Amino acid sequence: MAENSLSDGSPADSVEAAKNASSTEKLTDQVMQNPQVLAALQERLDNVSHTPSSYIETLPKAVKRRINALKQLQVRCAHIEAKFYEEVHDLERKYAALYQPLFDKRREFITGDVEPTDAESAWHSENEEEDKLAGDMKNKVVIAEKEAATAEELTPKGIPEFWFTIFRNVDMLSELVQEYDEPILKHLQDIKVKFSDPGQPMVSTDQMPCPCRCTIDWKKGKNVTVKTIKKKQKHKGRGTVRTITKQVPNESFFNFFSPLKASGDGESLDEDSEFTLASDFEIGHFFRERIVPRAVLYFTGEAIEDDDNFEEGEEGEEEELEGDEEGEEEDDAEVNPKKEPSQPAECKQQ
């Protein structure tokens, strides 16, 4: 009987199982002592257990009910906010009509169609007295040279390359401008914001106001948004080779005016299109709120210095947050290039 018990292998199997268990424990200990493995496991646990939706699901039913009440309040706030922006838009239209004569006069000065009077061109600087004394001294010394130079010098019309200079001064715009865009932008005469008519709904895409989109009527061979490439094709049967030309998209600032193509019926925009739309909206908003109202200050660079100073001030600010307990506080914080290069259609920007 004993021999039969040994031949069944039960004790031997137990010994082997014990060895395997010991090896597994050692391997587990070695793995768990590896910092990289532990970090990876912790990251996966964090992602699984601390998402906002999973946290909400763990809350008591009474708390979820109160959260739903907060959402109802948020919807009512959204309706009030929509009414607020409607009234703001009406107010913007009203004052746009008051600004427009000044912007028209600005365009006439820039293009040289009208020359400003002495009164219109008078500007008093902060250091006017010092500038006047320095100017008088300099005039006495070099008056003869100035008269000679003025006689030979051709006076330019208006303010050359006014808008193009702004494009170069503003980083957000200069990053978009390619070398082949520059000759076109140098002919740019004016940039306008055109508001929608009263009662006309604002155009939007995926709940985001759509920036200026229009078709540019490019002259033949002048479209900088596409480039022509040559490609060789080999006939499978005859083995002959032919060269074909093909137009492909090209990096250009003027892609800003190209409409986004929907991915399908009723489908939302893909990730790249959403990024493009968000970027274009930011650019259009910057034109609307900063560039058009304060163009001369972006031309001289004064507005850029003000923007930089404002951003530096923001970094140092701290915000006081109310604590849970009494006394507890936490420190924390429309583009119209001259018709020679191209002639775009008039664009609307809400």
Side-chain angles (χ1 to χ4, degrees):
M1 293 291 293
E3 289 180 0
N4 289 337
S5 299
L6 289 173
S7 63
D8 288 340
S10 296
D13 289 343
S14 300
V15 172
E16 187 66 27
K19 289 181 178 179
N20 290 339
S22 178
S23 299
T24 301
E25 289 177 0
K26 289 181 180 179
L27 181 60
T28 302
D29 291 339
Q30 291 175 1
V31 170
M32 295 306 292
Q33 290 174 5
N34 188 323
Q36 295 178 341
V37 173
L38 289 174
L41 287 172
Q42 186 62 48
E43 183 179 1
R44 296 190 70 177
L45 288 172
D46 290 342
N47 291 337
V48 170
S49 59
H50 296 295
T51 57
S53 58
S54 64
Y55 167 69
I56 297 299
E57 291 301 321
T58 64
L59 296 175
K61 187 175 181 180
V63 176
K64 291 180 183 178
R65 182 172 176 274
R66 294 167 195 142
I67 293 173
N68 290 336
L70 294 183
K71 289 182 178 179
Q72 290 276 11
L73 294 176
Q74 190 64 46
V75 170
R76 293 169 64 183
C77 287
H79 288 303
I80 295 173
E81 186 178 17
K83 184 64 178 176
F84 166 76
Y85 281 113
E86 285 179 11
E87 295 186 10
V88 167
H89 194 53
D90 291 338
L91 196 62
E92 285 179 323
R93 276 198 297 262
K94 173 185 175 181
Y95 279 89
L98 302 177
Y99 286 130
Q100 196 54 51
L102 302 178
F103 292 158
D104 291 342
K105 179 73 74 174
R106 179 177 71 185
R107 181 184 185 279
E108 292 173 343
F109 290 161
I110 291 171
T111 59
D113 293 340
V114 173
E115 193 66 29
T117 65
D118 291 342
E120 289 172 327
S121 59
W123 182 259
H124 304 289
S125 65
E126 294 178 355
N127 301 320
E128 183 179 3
E129 293 300 325
E130 294 180 10
D131 292 343
K132 187 176 183 302
L133 290 173
D136 290 342
M137 294 281 292
K138 187 175 181 180
N139 286 338
K140 291 178 182 178
V141 176
V142 297
I143 189 169
E145 293 181 8
K146 281 189 174 183
E147 288 177 352
T150 303
E152 297 177 1
E153 196 177 273
L154 292 175
T155 303
K157 184 180 179 181
I159 305 176
E161 302 180 3
F162 178 84
W163 293 103
F164 174 62
T165 302
I166 293 175
F167 272 69
R168 287 191 304 185
N169 288 345
V170 178
D171 290 341
M172 181 189 296
L173 303 179
S174 63
E175 292 172 356
L176 302 175
V177 176
Q178 309 297 323
E179 186 176 352
Y180 37 81
D181 291 332
E182 294 182 3
I184 303 173
L185 292 172
K186 287 178 180 180
H187 288 278
L188 184 59
Q189 295 183 342
D190 200 15
I191 300 177
K192 298 178 181 179
V193 173
K194 186 173 182 180
F195 291 90
S196 58
D197 296 328
Q200 180 180 352
M202 295 181 67
V203 180
S204 64
T205 302
D206 282 356
Q207 301 180 346
M208 181 179 289
C210 185
C212 178
R213 303 287 186 195
C214 62
T215 301
I216 299 179
D217 185 17
W218 294 101
K219 288 193 171 185
K220 187 177 180 180
K222 300 294 184 181
N223 188 351
V224 294
T225 65
V226 295
K227 61 183 177 181
T228 302
I229 62 172
K230 292 183 178 181
K231 189 176 181 181
K232 291 184 178 181
Q233 287 185 338
K234 187 176 181 180
H235 194 280
K236 293 181 179 179
R238 295 192 297 268
T240 56
V241 178
R242 67 173 182 174
T243 302
I244 62 170
T245 58
K246 177 180 180 181
Q247 282 194 334
V248 296
N250 195 26
E251 291 291 331
S252 170
F253 163 76
F254 294 98
N255 287 325
F256 176 75
F257 300 97
S258 301
L260 288 173
K261 296 180 180 179
S263 56
D265 295 336
E267 293 184 12
S268 59
L269 296 172
D270 58 34
E271 188 175 347
D272 290 340
S273 297
E274 286 183 351
F275 177 80
T276 299
L277 184 63
S279 299
D280 287 354
F281 175 77
E282 183 179 3
I283 294 167
H285 189 265
F286 194 82
F287 270 112
R288 179 178 186 260
E289 297 294 324
R290 304 282 190 91
I291 300 292
V292 173
R294 304 175 182 87
V296 66
L297 300 180
Y298 281 95
F299 176 79
T300 62
E302 295 167 81
I304 299 170
E305 293 175 2
D306 290 342
D307 288 347
D308 291 342
N309 291 335
F310 179 75
E311 288 172 2
E312 288 174 5
E314 279 185 333
E315 291 177 1
E317 290 181 359
E318 291 184 353
E319 183 180 355
E320 269 191 4
L321 302 178
E322 185 178 347
D324 293 336
E325 297 179 3
E326 186 177 354
E328 180 183 349
E329 293 182 350
E330 233 179 270
D331 288 338
D332 184 83
E334 194 173 286
V335 178
N336 293 320
K338 195 172 181 180
K339 192 160 184 175
E340 289 178 4
S342 64
Q343 184 60 44
E346 187 181 43
C347 306
K348 278 190 178 181
Q349 182 176 344
Q350 273 75 18

mmCIF file with all atom_site columns, all heavy atoms in Angstrom, residues 58 60 63 101 123 125 128 148 150 163 187 205 215 228 243 321 330 342:
data_model
loop_
_atom_site.group_PDB
_atom_site.id
_atom_site.type_symbol
_atom_site.label_atom_id
_atom_site.label_alt_id
_atom_site.label_comp_id
_atom_site.label_asym_id
_atom_site.label_entity_id
_atom_site.label_seq_id
_atom_site.pdbx_PDB_ins_code
_atom_site.Cartn_x
_atom_site.Cartn_y
_atom_site.Cartn_z
_atom_site.occupancy
_atom_site.B_iso_or_equiv
_atom_site.pdbx_formal_charge
_atom_site.auth_seq_id
_atom_site.auth_comp_id
_atom_site.auth_asym_id
_atom_site.auth_atom_id
_atom_site.pdbx_PDB_model_num
ATOM 1   N N   . THR A 1 58  ? -19.932 57.522  -6.853  1.00 0.00 ? 58  THR A N   1
ATOM 2   C CA  . THR A 1 58  ? -19.783 57.024  -5.478  1.00 0.00 ? 58  THR A CA  1
ATOM 3   C C   . THR A 1 58  ? -20.554 57.870  -4.475  1.00 0.00 ? 58  THR A C   1
ATOM 4   O O   . THR A 1 58  ? -20.668 57.489  -3.308  1.00 0.00 ? 58  THR A O   1
ATOM 5   C CB  . THR A 1 58  ? -18.299 57.019  -5.072  1.00 0.00 ? 58  THR A CB  1
ATOM 6   O OG1 . THR A 1 58  ? -17.801 58.371  -5.048  1.00 0.00 ? 58  THR A OG1 1
ATOM 7   C CG2 . THR A 1 58  ? -17.478 56.187  -6.047  1.00 0.00 ? 58  THR A CG2 1
ATOM 8   N N   . PRO A 1 60  ? -23.624 59.729  -2.406  1.00 0.00 ? 60  PRO A N   1
ATOM 9   C CA  . PRO A 1 60  ? -24.970 59.300  -1.983  1.00 0.00 ? 60  PRO A CA  1
ATOM 10  C C   . PRO A 1 60  ? -26.048 59.890  -2.894  1.00 0.00 ? 60  PRO A C   1
ATOM 11  O O   . PRO A 1 60  ? -25.842 60.923  -3.532  1.00 0.00 ? 60  PRO A O   1
ATOM 12  C CB  . PRO A 1 60  ? -25.089 59.866  -0.554  1.00 0.00 ? 60  PRO A CB  1
ATOM 13  C CG  . PRO A 1 60  ? -23.683 60.079  -0.115  1.00 0.00 ? 60  PRO A CG  1
ATOM 14  C CD  . PRO A 1 60  ? -22.900 60.419  -1.334  1.00 0.00 ? 60  PRO A CD  1
ATOM 15  N N   . VAL A 1 63  ? -26.914 63.568  -2.430  1.00 0.00 ? 63  VAL A N   1
ATOM 16  C CA  . VAL A 1 63  ? -25.923 64.514  -2.951  1.00 0.00 ? 63  VAL A CA  1
ATOM 17  C C   . VAL A 1 63  ? -26.062 64.640  -4.472  1.00 0.00 ? 63  VAL A C   1
ATOM 18  O O   . VAL A 1 63  ? -25.988 65.735  -5.040  1.00 0.00 ? 63  VAL A O   1
ATOM 19  C CB  . VAL A 1 63  ? -24.496 64.058  -2.576  1.00 0.00 ? 63  VAL A CB  1
ATOM 20  C CG1 . VAL A 1 63  ? -23.454 64.990  -3.192  1.00 0.00 ? 63  VAL A CG1 1
ATOM 21  C CG2 . VAL A 1 63  ? -24.333 64.026  -1.062  1.00 0.00 ? 63  VAL A CG2 1
ATOM 22  N N   . PRO A 1 101 ? -16.536 106.318 -38.983 1.00 0.00 ? 101 PRO A N   1
ATOM 23  C CA  . PRO A 1 101 ? -15.955 107.507 -39.640 1.00 0.00 ? 101 PRO A CA  1
ATOM 24  C C   . PRO A 1 101 ? -14.482 107.711 -39.300 1.00 0.00 ? 101 PRO A C   1
ATOM 25  O O   . PRO A 1 101 ? -13.697 108.153 -40.149 1.00 0.00 ? 101 PRO A O   1
ATOM 26  C CB  . PRO A 1 101 ? -16.823 108.649 -39.111 1.00 0.00 ? 101 PRO A CB  1
ATOM 27  C CG  . PRO A 1 101 ? -18.114 108.015 -38.717 1.00 0.00 ? 101 PRO A CG  1
ATOM 28  C CD  . PRO A 1 101 ? -17.752 106.657 -38.215 1.00 0.00 ? 101 PRO A CD  1
ATOM 29  N N   . TRP A 1 123 ? 0.854   116.090 -32.287 1.00 0.00 ? 123 TRP A N   1
ATOM 30  C CA  . TRP A 1 123 ? 0.870   115.103 -31.201 1.00 0.00 ? 123 TRP A CA  1
ATOM 31  C C   . TRP A 1 123 ? 1.842   115.554 -30.129 1.00 0.00 ? 123 TRP A C   1
ATOM 32  O O   . TRP A 1 123 ? 3.005   115.835 -30.396 1.00 0.00 ? 123 TRP A O   1
ATOM 33  C CB  . TRP A 1 123 ? 1.271   113.730 -31.724 1.00 0.00 ? 123 TRP A CB  1
ATOM 34  C CG  . TRP A 1 123 ? 1.252   112.675 -30.653 1.00 0.00 ? 123 TRP A CG  1
ATOM 35  C CD1 . TRP A 1 123 ? 2.314   112.160 -29.976 1.00 0.00 ? 123 TRP A CD1 1
ATOM 36  C CD2 . TRP A 1 123 ? 0.085   112.060 -30.120 1.00 0.00 ? 123 TRP A CD2 1
ATOM 37  N NE1 . TRP A 1 123 ? 1.884   111.245 -29.056 1.00 0.00 ? 123 TRP A NE1 1
ATOM 38  C CE2 . TRP A 1 123 ? 0.516   111.157 -29.125 1.00 0.00 ? 123 TRP A CE2 1
ATOM 39  C CE3 . TRP A 1 123 ? -1.279  112.177 -30.386 1.00 0.00 ? 123 TRP A CE3 1
ATOM 40  C CZ2 . TRP A 1 123 ? -0.375  110.381 -28.389 1.00 0.00 ? 123 TRP A CZ2 1
ATOM 41  C CZ3 . TRP A 1 123 ? -2.165  111.402 -29.652 1.00 0.00 ? 123 TRP A CZ3 1
ATOM 42  C CH2 . TRP A 1 123 ? -1.695  110.513 -28.673 1.00 0.00 ? 123 TRP A CH2 1
ATOM 43  N N   . SER A 1 125 ? 4.016   114.825 -27.003 1.00 0.00 ? 125 SER A N   1
ATOM 44  C CA  . SER A 1 125 ? 4.616   113.722 -26.257 1.00 0.00 ? 125 SER A CA  1
ATOM 45  C C   . SER A 1 125 ? 4.787   114.107 -24.800 1.00 0.00 ? 125 SER A C   1
ATOM 46  O O   . SER A 1 125 ? 4.688   115.279 -24.426 1.00 0.00 ? 125 SER A O   1
ATOM 47  C CB  . SER A 1 125 ? 5.982   113.348 -26.857 1.00 0.00 ? 125 SER A CB  1
ATOM 48  O OG  . SER A 1 125 ? 6.893   114.421 -26.703 1.00 0.00 ? 125 SER A OG  1
ATOM 49  N N   . GLU A 1 128 ? 7.725   116.652 -24.188 1.00 0.00 ? 128 GLU A N   1
ATOM 50  C CA  . GLU A 1 128 ? 7.632   117.611 -25.292 1.00 0.00 ? 128 GLU A CA  1
ATOM 51  C C   . GLU A 1 128 ? 8.681   118.715 -25.190 1.00 0.00 ? 128 GLU A C   1
ATOM 52  O O   . GLU A 1 128 ? 9.322   119.061 -26.184 1.00 0.00 ? 128 GLU A O   1
ATOM 53  C CB  . GLU A 1 128 ? 6.224   118.223 -25.294 1.00 0.00 ? 128 GLU A CB  1
ATOM 54  C CG  . GLU A 1 128 ? 6.001   119.184 -26.442 1.00 0.00 ? 128 GLU A CG  1
ATOM 55  C CD  . GLU A 1 128 ? 4.584   119.741 -26.418 1.00 0.00 ? 128 GLU A CD  1
ATOM 56  O OE1 . GLU A 1 128 ? 3.837   119.422 -25.493 1.00 0.00 ? 128 GLU A OE1 1
ATOM 57  O OE2 . GLU A 1 128 ? 4.266   120.498 -27.342 1.00 0.00 ? 128 GLU A OE2 1
ATOM 58  N N   . ALA A 1 148 ? 18.846  119.695 -48.247 1.00 0.00 ? 148 ALA A N   1
ATOM 59  C CA  . ALA A 1 148 ? 19.369  119.016 -49.430 1.00 0.00 ? 148 ALA A CA  1
ATOM 60  C C   . ALA A 1 148 ? 18.785  117.610 -49.557 1.00 0.00 ? 148 ALA A C   1
ATOM 61  O O   . ALA A 1 148 ? 18.414  117.164 -50.646 1.00 0.00 ? 148 ALA A O   1
ATOM 62  C CB  . ALA A 1 148 ? 20.894  118.951 -49.356 1.00 0.00 ? 148 ALA A CB  1
ATOM 63  N N   . THR A 1 150 ? 15.965  116.516 -48.305 1.00 0.00 ? 150 THR A N   1
ATOM 64  C CA  . THR A 1 150 ? 14.533  116.574 -48.594 1.00 0.00 ? 150 THR A CA  1
ATOM 65  C C   . THR A 1 150 ? 14.279  116.822 -50.066 1.00 0.00 ? 150 THR A C   1
ATOM 66  O O   . THR A 1 150 ? 13.334  116.296 -50.653 1.00 0.00 ? 150 THR A O   1
ATOM 67  C CB  . THR A 1 150 ? 13.863  117.677 -47.748 1.00 0.00 ? 150 THR A CB  1
ATOM 68  O OG1 . THR A 1 150 ? 14.109  117.432 -46.371 1.00 0.00 ? 150 THR A OG1 1
ATOM 69  C CG2 . THR A 1 150 ? 12.371  117.722 -47.999 1.00 0.00 ? 150 THR A CG2 1
ATOM 70  N N   . TRP A 1 163 ? -0.169  97.829  -42.475 1.00 0.00 ? 163 TRP A N   1
ATOM 71  C CA  . TRP A 1 163 ? -0.739  96.607  -41.910 1.00 0.00 ? 163 TRP A CA  1
ATOM 72  C C   . TRP A 1 163 ? 0.273   95.473  -41.896 1.00 0.00 ? 163 TRP A C   1
ATOM 73  O O   . TRP A 1 163 ? 0.282   94.655  -40.964 1.00 0.00 ? 163 TRP A O   1
ATOM 74  C CB  . TRP A 1 163 ? -1.993  96.200  -42.681 1.00 0.00 ? 163 TRP A CB  1
ATOM 75  C CG  . TRP A 1 163 ? -3.118  97.169  -42.521 1.00 0.00 ? 163 TRP A CG  1
ATOM 76  C CD1 . TRP A 1 163 ? -3.528  98.111  -43.427 1.00 0.00 ? 163 TRP A CD1 1
ATOM 77  C CD2 . TRP A 1 163 ? -3.940  97.345  -41.374 1.00 0.00 ? 163 TRP A CD2 1
ATOM 78  N NE1 . TRP A 1 163 ? -4.569  98.838  -42.920 1.00 0.00 ? 163 TRP A NE1 1
ATOM 79  C CE2 . TRP A 1 163 ? -4.848  98.388  -41.660 1.00 0.00 ? 163 TRP A CE2 1
ATOM 80  C CE3 . TRP A 1 163 ? -4.022  96.708  -40.137 1.00 0.00 ? 163 TRP A CE3 1
ATOM 81  C CZ2 . TRP A 1 163 ? -5.818  98.817  -40.745 1.00 0.00 ? 163 TRP A CZ2 1
ATOM 82  C CZ3 . TRP A 1 163 ? -4.979  97.134  -39.223 1.00 0.00 ? 163 TRP A CZ3 1
ATOM 83  C CH2 . TRP A 1 163 ? -5.865  98.178  -39.529 1.00 0.00 ? 163 TRP A CH2 1
ATOM 84  N N   . HIS A 1 187 ? 0.531   95.012  -49.812 1.00 0.00 ? 187 HIS A N   1
ATOM 85  C CA  . HIS A 1 187 ? -0.469  95.784  -50.548 1.00 0.00 ? 187 HIS A CA  1
ATOM 86  C C   . HIS A 1 187 ? -1.762  95.959  -49.761 1.00 0.00 ? 187 HIS A C   1
ATOM 87  O O   . HIS A 1 187 ? -2.698  96.586  -50.245 1.00 0.00 ? 187 HIS A O   1
ATOM 88  C CB  . HIS A 1 187 ? -0.800  95.083  -51.871 1.00 0.00 ? 187 HIS A CB  1
ATOM 89  C CG  . HIS A 1 187 ? 0.294   95.173  -52.893 1.00 0.00 ? 187 HIS A CG  1
ATOM 90  N ND1 . HIS A 1 187 ? 0.464   96.281  -53.684 1.00 0.00 ? 187 HIS A ND1 1
ATOM 91  C CD2 . HIS A 1 187 ? 1.267   94.304  -53.235 1.00 0.00 ? 187 HIS A CD2 1
ATOM 92  C CE1 . HIS A 1 187 ? 1.492   96.082  -54.496 1.00 0.00 ? 187 HIS A CE1 1
ATOM 93  N NE2 . HIS A 1 187 ? 2.006   94.888  -54.232 1.00 0.00 ? 187 HIS A NE2 1
ATOM 94  N N   . THR A 1 205 ? -20.116 77.162  -35.508 1.00 0.00 ? 205 THR A N   1
ATOM 95  C CA  . THR A 1 205 ? -19.800 75.775  -35.828 1.00 0.00 ? 205 THR A CA  1
ATOM 96  C C   . THR A 1 205 ? -19.443 75.073  -34.533 1.00 0.00 ? 205 THR A C   1
ATOM 97  O O   . THR A 1 205 ? -18.538 75.500  -33.830 1.00 0.00 ? 205 THR A O   1
ATOM 98  C CB  . THR A 1 205 ? -18.603 75.692  -36.798 1.00 0.00 ? 205 THR A CB  1
ATOM 99  O OG1 . THR A 1 205 ? -18.927 76.416  -37.977 1.00 0.00 ? 205 THR A OG1 1
ATOM 100 C CG2 . THR A 1 205 ? -18.317 74.255  -37.174 1.00 0.00 ? 205 THR A CG2 1
ATOM 101 N N   . THR A 1 215 ? -14.285 83.398  -49.954 1.00 0.00 ? 215 THR A N   1
ATOM 102 C CA  . THR A 1 215 ? -13.507 82.928  -51.090 1.00 0.00 ? 215 THR A CA  1
ATOM 103 C C   . THR A 1 215 ? -12.660 84.067  -51.632 1.00 0.00 ? 215 THR A C   1
ATOM 104 O O   . THR A 1 215 ? -13.171 85.164  -51.889 1.00 0.00 ? 215 THR A O   1
ATOM 105 C CB  . THR A 1 215 ? -14.441 82.396  -52.189 1.00 0.00 ? 215 THR A CB  1
ATOM 106 O OG1 . THR A 1 215 ? -15.222 81.331  -51.654 1.00 0.00 ? 215 THR A OG1 1
ATOM 107 C CG2 . THR A 1 215 ? -13.634 81.886  -53.376 1.00 0.00 ? 215 THR A CG2 1
ATOM 108 N N   . THR A 1 228 ? 2.178   73.688  -56.832 1.00 0.00 ? 228 THR A N   1
ATOM 109 C CA  . THR A 1 228 ? 2.136   72.700  -57.901 1.00 0.00 ? 228 THR A CA  1
ATOM 110 C C   . THR A 1 228 ? 3.366   71.800  -57.804 1.00 0.00 ? 228 THR A C   1
ATOM 111 O O   . THR A 1 228 ? 4.494   72.287  -57.713 1.00 0.00 ? 228 THR A O   1
ATOM 112 C CB  . THR A 1 228 ? 2.100   73.379  -59.278 1.00 0.00 ? 228 THR A CB  1
ATOM 113 O OG1 . THR A 1 228 ? 0.954   74.249  -59.331 1.00 0.00 ? 228 THR A OG1 1
ATOM 114 C CG2 . THR A 1 228 ? 2.008   72.354  -60.392 1.00 0.00 ? 228 THR A CG2 1
ATOM 115 N N   . THR A 1 243 ? 4.985   62.339  -66.768 1.00 0.00 ? 243 THR A N   1
ATOM 116 C CA  . THR A 1 243 ? 5.059   63.294  -65.660 1.00 0.00 ? 243 THR A CA  1
ATOM 117 C C   . THR A 1 243 ? 3.759   64.078  -65.600 1.00 0.00 ? 243 THR A C   1
ATOM 118 O O   . THR A 1 243 ? 3.328   64.661  -66.602 1.00 0.00 ? 243 THR A O   1
ATOM 119 C CB  . THR A 1 243 ? 6.244   64.253  -65.834 1.00 0.00 ? 243 THR A CB  1
ATOM 120 O OG1 . THR A 1 243 ? 7.454   63.495  -65.917 1.00 0.00 ? 243 THR A OG1 1
ATOM 121 C CG2 . THR A 1 243 ? 6.330   65.214  -64.672 1.00 0.00 ? 243 THR A CG2 1
ATOM 122 N N   . LEU A 1 321 ? -8.613  82.357  -1.369  1.00 0.00 ? 321 LEU A N   1
ATOM 123 C CA  . LEU A 1 321 ? -9.724  81.418  -1.404  1.00 0.00 ? 321 LEU A CA  1
ATOM 124 C C   . LEU A 1 321 ? -10.256 81.224  0.004   1.00 0.00 ? 321 LEU A C   1
ATOM 125 O O   . LEU A 1 321 ? -9.499  81.064  0.960   1.00 0.00 ? 321 LEU A O   1
ATOM 126 C CB  . LEU A 1 321 ? -9.272  80.067  -1.980  1.00 0.00 ? 321 LEU A CB  1
ATOM 127 C CG  . LEU A 1 321 ? -8.675  80.116  -3.383  1.00 0.00 ? 321 LEU A CG  1
ATOM 128 C CD1 . LEU A 1 321 ? -8.220  78.719  -3.793  1.00 0.00 ? 321 LEU A CD1 1
ATOM 129 C CD2 . LEU A 1 321 ? -9.684  80.651  -4.382  1.00 0.00 ? 321 LEU A CD2 1
ATOM 130 N N   . GLU A 1 330 ? -6.624  80.261  2.081   1.00 0.00 ? 330 GLU A N   1
ATOM 131 C CA  . GLU A 1 330 ? -5.587  79.593  1.301   1.00 0.00 ? 330 GLU A CA  1
ATOM 132 C C   . GLU A 1 330 ? -5.062  80.558  0.264   1.00 0.00 ? 330 GLU A C   1
ATOM 133 O O   . GLU A 1 330 ? -5.821  81.184  -0.447  1.00 0.00 ? 330 GLU A O   1
ATOM 134 C CB  . GLU A 1 330 ? -6.188  78.378  0.592   1.00 0.00 ? 330 GLU A CB  1
ATOM 135 C CG  . GLU A 1 330 ? -5.410  77.116  0.863   1.00 0.00 ? 330 GLU A CG  1
ATOM 136 C CD  . GLU A 1 330 ? -6.066  75.962  0.162   1.00 0.00 ? 330 GLU A CD  1
ATOM 137 O OE1 . GLU A 1 330 ? -6.930  75.342  0.778   1.00 0.00 ? 330 GLU A OE1 1
ATOM 138 O OE2 . GLU A 1 330 ? -5.708  75.701  -0.989  1.00 0.00 ? 330 GLU A OE2 1
ATOM 139 N N   . SER A 1 342 ? -4.312  90.136  -55.509 1.00 0.00 ? 342 SER A N   1
ATOM 140 C CA  . SER A 1 342 ? -5.527  89.340  -55.372 1.00 0.00 ? 342 SER A CA  1
ATOM 141 C C   . SER A 1 342 ? -6.662  90.245  -54.975 1.00 0.00 ? 342 SER A C   1
ATOM 142 O O   . SER A 1 342 ? -6.460  91.373  -54.543 1.00 0.00 ? 342 SER A O   1
ATOM 143 C CB  . SER A 1 342 ? -5.345  88.257  -54.315 1.00 0.00 ? 342 SER A CB  1
ATOM 144 O OG  . SER A 1 342 ? -5.134  88.870  -53.064 1.00 0.00 ? 342 SER A OG  1
#
